[in-house]
């Protein structure tokens, strides 16, 4: 799919609410495109898998004093961070707290090292723990999502939710900053969570302003008593002096002690021999791991490396399916063989197993992955396997489309593996060019468009950054241009306007270089929209005027309508309502010329709002009524609610409160029916205010 087919939307970035007159009426200012989705479809999109701790806390040994101290910290501090080196037991201690404490009514565990984890999905999981659903399309900015969760927890003191964010270092950038949403979450957790608590585990802490830092709980190795108990449980017997020396030299590192016990139990080593080995330094865990690896059979070594390809719990059939997709598949490898080797590796503390889903510790994964050699063919094979897995249940994009994010997880896994294989063009084709469903007119809808539909916004930058910054010559320029534009749109939706401008400017530069006029138009439109949001209306109108000139040069009526609409919106925000009306009128004329009913409804709504702002209420009512008529004609429930709500706002401004209340109640019913809960709440504000005004009028 070329950049002519797939660019960031230049109509607008969606509807917004704002106070538009002296009465502070919440007006239904939906000036962007809307999507008609059934309630059932929305509920399907909200489903999110809950994570579980990697290791059963019941198998943990010791840490009683640390657990008691951690409980005390959480009693006095709402946000606590367990820090320590890899493998020291941070996750285990957090899991022990969640399993043992009776202080919480609900618990939510998220492993942030898994590739499918992002801020929007975390918010969905946290709210699902409380029995609440959440649609990110109603609240796309991560900062707002963090505030939304905090508000719910603050307003419900009977809810005591424990949130554990494991491997939090995955959200920290190289410069120490936090990815979108997480910074605001920590701030809210420190001040607005009520009796609920946030516990994070991390190898490092982010750089945060004073007052936003979580309470620091540093975890070191096992105590002598706990270390002795672990060695006894693992079957290590020796003199007290040697055992104490072992714990001291290992720093009480639980993983080091497990590896040492494995060498004694499964190989011909004694503790005395190992104490004389040159392995006792700050890298003792890796050195013990290397000794274990050298004792493994070749097939077991290969199995460990195969599991290192995956960053989430993996089943033997995933490994066998991956191997089967290699150009020269190895012989004798099947699901049963892999499971047998995985069972041995689990017994030797190299894997963890829960319900035939195997997890590899980050330290072990890094070691085994390095020994794999050229991993690209394996990642490409894994990508093929995951695509086959998707198509086994979605055999035809017409009759078996993807219904929710969970449906698309195999394709997201495939995309991640294609990036790891550095097959950037293939990854881009999966993202933009492979239809997963068909809309009316037989228009194919690809993976990225579905992610946009379900507003998995905080995942988008992570998915797109690697593609946009692929080495020169490894990605088609058209795909790179599209990706730059989509990154700009993603950052815009998350309120990161400086980043949005940077990526849209790069999109414009590349589109100009390759002679892609449609791409230039998209980039100009999105730059104009971003500057409009920054209230730099002079720049906004200049970019949109250039956008219009290109659209006219191409003879593209739809793009001309987009450009005129954007100019109208910019002048509307600038307070130049007569100019805005002129551009919206021209937009309406082009939409009528094309037979674009959706475009007509949008233009009619914008005209109604502009006339409302001029105080020309009869004209506003006329255009909102036409908007409502067309929305009903095409079955656009969201559009109907918008038009009805705007009619209520106009009658409210006229002081005709019974009529306004009637329209507000009709709008509320539709918003409620389609699951637009944010707008239900805002409509409730309008209803309550109108009722107060009616009561005041009656008493005067």
């Amino acid at each position: 799919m070329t950049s002519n087919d797939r660019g960031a939307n230049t109509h607008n970035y969606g509807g917004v609410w704002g106070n538009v007159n002296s009465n502070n009426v919440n007006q239904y200012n939906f000036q962007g495109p809307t999507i008609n989705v059934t309630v059932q479809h929305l509920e399907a999109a909200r489903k999110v898998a809950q994570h579980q701790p990697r290791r059963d806390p019941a198998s943990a040994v010791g840490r009683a004093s640390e657990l008691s101290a951690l409980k005390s910290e959480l009693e006095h501090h709402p946000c606590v961070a367990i820090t320590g080196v890899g493998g020291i037991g941070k996750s285990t201690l957090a899991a022990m707290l969640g399993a043992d404490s009776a202080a919480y009514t609900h618990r939510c565990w998220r492993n942030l090292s898994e590739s499918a984890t992002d801020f929007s999905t975390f918010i969905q999981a946290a709210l699902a723990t409380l029995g609440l659903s959440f649609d990110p399309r109603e609240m796309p900015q991560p900062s707002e999502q963090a505030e939304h969760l905090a508000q719910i927890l603050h307003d419900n003191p009977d809810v005591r939710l424990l949130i554990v964010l494991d491997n939090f270092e995955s959200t920290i950038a190289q410069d120490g900053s936090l990815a979108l949403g997480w910074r605001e979450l920590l701030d809210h957790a420190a001040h607005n969570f009520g009796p609920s608590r946030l516990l994070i585990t991390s190898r490092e802490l982010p750089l945060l302003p004073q007052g936003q830092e979580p309470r620091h709980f540093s975890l070191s190795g096992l105590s002598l008593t706990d270390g002795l108990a672990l060695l006894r449980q693992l079957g290590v017997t020796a003199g007290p002096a040697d055992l104490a020396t072992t714990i001291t030299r290992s720093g009480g590192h639980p993983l080091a002690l497990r590896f040492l016990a494995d060498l004694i139990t499964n190989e011909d080593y004694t503790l005395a021999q190992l104490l004389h080995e040159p392995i006792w330094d700050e890298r003792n865990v890796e050195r013990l791991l290397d000794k274990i690896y050298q004792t493994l059979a070749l097939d077991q070594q290969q199995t460990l490396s195969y599991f290192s390809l995956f960053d989430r719990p993996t089943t033997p059939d995933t490994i066998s399916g991956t191997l089967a997709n290699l150009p020269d598949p190895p012989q004798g490898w099947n699901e049963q063989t892999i499971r047998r080797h995985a069972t041995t590796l689990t017994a030797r503390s190299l894997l963890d197993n829960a319900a035939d889903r195997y997890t590899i510790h980050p330290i072990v994964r890094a070691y085994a992955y390095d020994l794999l050699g050229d991993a690209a063919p394996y990642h490409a094979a894994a990508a093929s396997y995951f695509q086959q897995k998707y198509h086994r249940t979605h055999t035809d994009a017409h009759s078996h489309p993807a219904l929710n994010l969970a449906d698309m997880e195999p394709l997201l896994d495939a995309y991640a593996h294609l990036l790891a294989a550095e097959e950037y063009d293939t990854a881009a084709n999966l993202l933009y060019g492979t239809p997963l469903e068909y809309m009316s007119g037989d228009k194919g809808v690809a993976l990225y468009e579905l992610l946009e539909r379900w507003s998995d916004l905080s995942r988008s930058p992570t998915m797109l950054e690697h593609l946009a910054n692929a080495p020169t010559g490894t990605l088609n320029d058209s795909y790179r241009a599209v990706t730059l534009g989509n990154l700009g749109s993603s950052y815009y939706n998350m309120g990161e306007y400086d980043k949005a401008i940077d990526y849209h400017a790069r999109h414009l530069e590349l589109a100009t270089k390759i002679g892609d006029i449609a791409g230039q138009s998209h980039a100009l439109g999105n730059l104009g929209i971003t500057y409009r949001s920054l209230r730099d209306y002079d720049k906004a109108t200049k970019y949109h005027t250039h956008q219009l000139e290109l659209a006219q040069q191409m003879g593209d009526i739809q793009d001309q309508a987009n450009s005129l609409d954007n100019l109208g919106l910019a002048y509307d925000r600038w307070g130049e309502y007569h100019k805005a009306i002129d551009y919206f009128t021209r937009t309406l004329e082009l939409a009528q010329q094309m037979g674009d009913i959706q475009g007509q409804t949008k233009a009619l709504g914008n005209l109604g709002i502009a006339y409302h702002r001029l105080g020309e209420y009869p004209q506003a009512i006329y255009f909102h009524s036409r908007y409502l008529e067309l929305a009903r004609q095409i079955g656009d429930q969201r559009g109907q609610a918008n038009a009805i709500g705007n009619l209520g706002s106009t009658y409210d401004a006229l002081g005709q409160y019974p009529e306004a209340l009637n329209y507000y109640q009709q709008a509320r019913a539709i918003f409620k029916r389609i699951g637009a809960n944010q707008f239900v709440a805002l409509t409730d504000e309008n209803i309550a205010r109108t009722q107060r005004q009616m009561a005041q009028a009656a008493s005067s």
Side-chain angles (χ1 to χ4, degrees):
M1 185 172 288
T2 69
S3 59
N4 288 340
D5 301 315
R6 172 70 217 147
N9 184 354
T10 56
H11 277 69
N12 198 341
Y13 286 90
V16 294
W17 278 67
N19 296 329
V20 298
N21 58 38
S22 58
N23 293 325
N24 290 327
V25 175
N26 287 319
Q27 189 166 26
Y28 302 74
N29 188 3
F30 293 91
Q31 297 173 326
T34 57
I35 300 170
N36 296 316
V37 185
T38 64
V39 174
Q40 292 81 5
H41 199 170
L42 273 173
E43 292 301 329
R46 290 171 183 154
K47 291 180 181 178
V48 58
Q50 297 289 353
H51 291 182
Q52 297 295 330
R54 186 172 59 88
R55 179 167 290 173
D56 183 359
S59 65
V61 175
R63 295 294 197 192
S65 61
E66 290 91 338
L67 181 60
S68 177
L70 180 60
K71 288 181 180 179
S72 177
E73 290 286 357
L74 284 165
E75 286 176 4
H76 298 94
H77 303 280
C79 182
V80 175
I82 307 174
T83 61
V85 298
I88 202 67
K90 303 180 294 295
S91 303
T92 300
L93 183 61
M96 291 170 66
L97 179 94
D100 182 66
S101 177
Y104 305 102
T105 59
H106 302 79
R107 294 166 182 80
C108 176
W109 181 285
R110 300 303 291 177
N111 180 2
L112 300 184
S113 66
E114 292 195 7
S115 61
T117 295
D118 54 87
F119 194 75
S120 294
T121 305
F122 154 67
I123 293 292
Q124 287 179 300
L127 293 175
T129 303
L130 305 177
L132 302 174
S133 60
F134 174 70
D135 181 4
R137 290 176 305 175
E138 296 183 15
M139 194 177 294
Q141 295 191 16
S143 59
E144 294 179 344
Q145 296 174 8
E147 182 178 3
H148 179 61
L149 173 62
Q151 190 68 51
I152 289 174
L153 296 177
H154 181 271
D155 292 346
N156 292 274
D158 292 338
V159 170
R160 298 185 302 280
L161 172 65
L162 173 66
I163 298 172
V164 179
L165 299 178
D166 195 23
N167 297 307
F168 193 75
E169 67 273 2
S170 301
T171 70
I172 303 175
Q174 289 185 347
D175 62 0
S177 63
L178 278 176
L180 295 164
W182 303 110
R183 178 179 63 250
E184 292 82 2
L185 177 73
L186 293 184
D187 186 36
H188 283 298
H191 303 100
N192 304 318
F193 261 28
S196 294
R197 293 294 184 262
L198 175 63
L199 178 64
I200 68 176
T201 74
S202 186
R203 298 189 189 189
E204 58 179 312
L205 286 177
L207 298 176
L208 292 169
Q210 187 173 2
Q212 292 184 14
E213 312 98 323
R215 177 74 171 180
H216 189 193
F217 187 92
S218 180
L219 186 64
S220 54
L222 295 171
S223 66
L224 178 61
T225 300
D226 290 346
L228 289 171
L230 177 59
L231 288 174
R232 283 195 297 270
Q233 184 194 69
L234 296 172
V236 177
T237 58
D242 281 350
L243 290 172
T245 299
T246 300
I247 294 165
T248 300
R249 288 188 178 180
S250 68
H253 197 296
L255 197 55
L257 295 176
R258 288 184 180 277
F259 288 162
L260 179 139
D262 174 86
L263 288 168
I264 294 172
T265 304
N266 294 302
E267 303 300 331
D268 294 330
Y269 284 100
T270 65
L271 182 58
Q273 288 175 319
L274 289 170
L275 286 174
H276 285 88
E277 292 277 348
I279 57 176
W280 301 103
D281 56 22
E282 67 279 0
R283 297 186 63 242
N284 61 71
V285 176
E286 290 85 352
R287 298 190 192 284
L288 286 164
L289 172 59
D290 184 64
K291 278 191 167 296
I292 293 176
Y293 184 84
Q294 300 306 325
T295 69
L296 297 176
L298 178 60
D299 286 355
Q300 294 167 355
Q301 292 178 346
Q302 291 173 323
T303 300
L304 190 64
S305 289
Y306 296 151
F307 275 102
S308 75
L309 290 162
F310 304 91
D311 65 355
R312 67 172 78 186
T314 305
T315 59
D317 69 298
T318 298
I319 304 294
S320 63
T322 296
L323 297 179
N325 278 281
L326 287 169
D328 185 17
Q331 299 300 309
W333 287 85
N334 55 41
E335 186 177 337
Q336 291 72 29
T337 301
I338 295 165
R339 183 175 290 106
R340 184 174 70 253
H341 294 325
T343 301
T344 300
L345 295 171
T346 301
R348 303 199 65 174
S349 300
L350 298 175
L351 296 176
D352 288 313
N353 179 25
D356 205 37
R357 294 171 62 82
Y358 293 86
T359 305
I360 186 168
H361 192 280
I363 292 176
V364 181
R365 182 179 182 228
Y367 175 90
Y369 189 83
D370 284 344
L371 294 173
L372 192 59
D374 181 10
Y378 295 97
H379 283 298
S384 296
Y385 164 76
F386 282 118
Q387 290 182 79
Q388 292 164 4
K389 181 179 179 181
Y390 173 83
H391 289 295
R392 279 198 296 270
T393 54
H394 299 81
T395 53
D396 179 77
H398 289 87
S399 58
H400 295 86
L403 296 178
N404 50 51
L405 289 171
D407 274 3
M408 295 194 300
E409 286 300 337
L411 295 181
L412 296 172
D413 286 331
Y415 176 78
H417 281 285
L418 287 170
L419 291 180
E422 298 185 353
E423 294 191 6
Y424 298 110
D425 273 331
T426 308
N429 186 62
L430 173 62
L431 197 60
Y432 301 126
T434 305
L436 303 183
E437 72 168 48
Y438 284 89
M439 302 179 67
S440 59
D442 215 33
K443 177 185 179 296
V445 180
L447 177 59
Y448 187 75
E449 292 171 276
L450 290 177
L451 288 174
E452 282 189 315
R453 175 188 298 176
W454 293 318
S455 288
D456 201 6
L457 295 173
S458 59
R459 181 182 303 199
S460 294
T462 303
M463 290 184 63
L464 298 176
E465 290 279 4
H466 292 295
L467 200 59
N469 297 307
T472 302
T474 62
L475 178 65
N476 179 278
D477 281 340
S478 293
Y479 277 142
R480 194 188 301 272
V482 171
T483 302
L484 289 169
N486 284 334
L487 266 169
S489 297
S490 294
Y491 280 119
Y492 177 96
N493 281 323
M494 291 183 284
E496 298 278 331
Y497 297 135
D498 288 341
K499 288 184 178 179
I501 288 171
D502 176 61
Y503 279 108
H504 287 315
R506 288 174 61 187
H507 180 203
L508 176 60
E509 180 182 4
L510 182 54
T512 302
K513 176 183 174 183
I514 63 177
D516 177 8
I517 297 178
Q520 294 174 55
S521 177
H522 290 152
L524 288 165
N526 286 325
L527 282 164
I529 290 169
T530 308
Y531 278 111
R532 187 180 76 216
S533 296
L534 290 170
R535 299 184 180 181
D536 189 340
Y537 302 118
D538 182 58
K539 282 187 178 178
T541 53
K542 286 179 180 176
Y543 278 115
H544 290 317
T545 299
H546 192 182
Q547 177 193 14
L548 177 60
E549 291 169 353
L550 286 183
Q552 291 171 334
Q553 177 183 332
M554 292 186 293
D556 187 330
I557 303 299
Q558 180 63 68
D559 212 27
Q560 290 177 50
N562 295 347
S563 307
L564 292 165
D565 186 42
N566 282 330
L567 280 163
L569 294 172
Y571 280 113
D572 179 83
R573 297 288 178 83
W574 210 348
E576 297 278 354
Y577 302 127
H578 290 290
K579 285 186 178 180
I581 287 170
D582 176 61
Y583 283 112
F584 290 144
T585 301
R586 292 167 64 185
T587 304
L588 177 60
E589 291 170 352
L590 288 182
Q592 290 170 333
Q593 178 181 331
M594 293 184 291
D596 178 7
I597 303 298
Q598 196 74 269
Q600 293 176 52
T601 62
K602 190 155 72 80
L604 289 167
N606 288 339
L607 281 164
I609 290 170
Y611 277 112
H612 181 116
R613 287 172 169 160
L614 281 172
E616 297 185 21
Y617 300 126
Q619 283 290 88
I621 290 171
Y622 168 75
F623 283 108
H624 287 315
S625 297
R626 288 184 60 191
Y627 178 12
L628 176 58
E629 181 182 351
L630 282 184
R632 284 173 173 165
Q633 179 181 323
I634 62 175
D636 178 2
Q637 293 191 70
R638 187 68 167 261
Q640 292 173 51
N642 298 345
I644 292 170
N646 283 331
L647 282 166
S649 297
T650 307
Y651 280 106
D652 198 338
L654 285 167
Q656 298 181 24
Y657 301 128
E659 291 84 353
L661 181 61
N662 178 45
Y663 280 116
Y664 286 147
Q665 290 171 337
Q666 290 182 57
R668 185 191 189 281
I670 299 175
F671 283 133
K672 181 72 173 177
R673 185 164 64 247
I674 64 176
N677 295 326
Q678 180 186 9
F679 301 114
V680 171
L682 290 169
T683 307
D684 283 340
E685 293 180 16
N686 282 345
I687 290 172
R689 189 200 58 260
T690 302
Q691 289 173 332
R692 289 194 301 271
Q693 291 168 328
M694 291 174 66
Q696 291 170 3
S699 62
S700 61

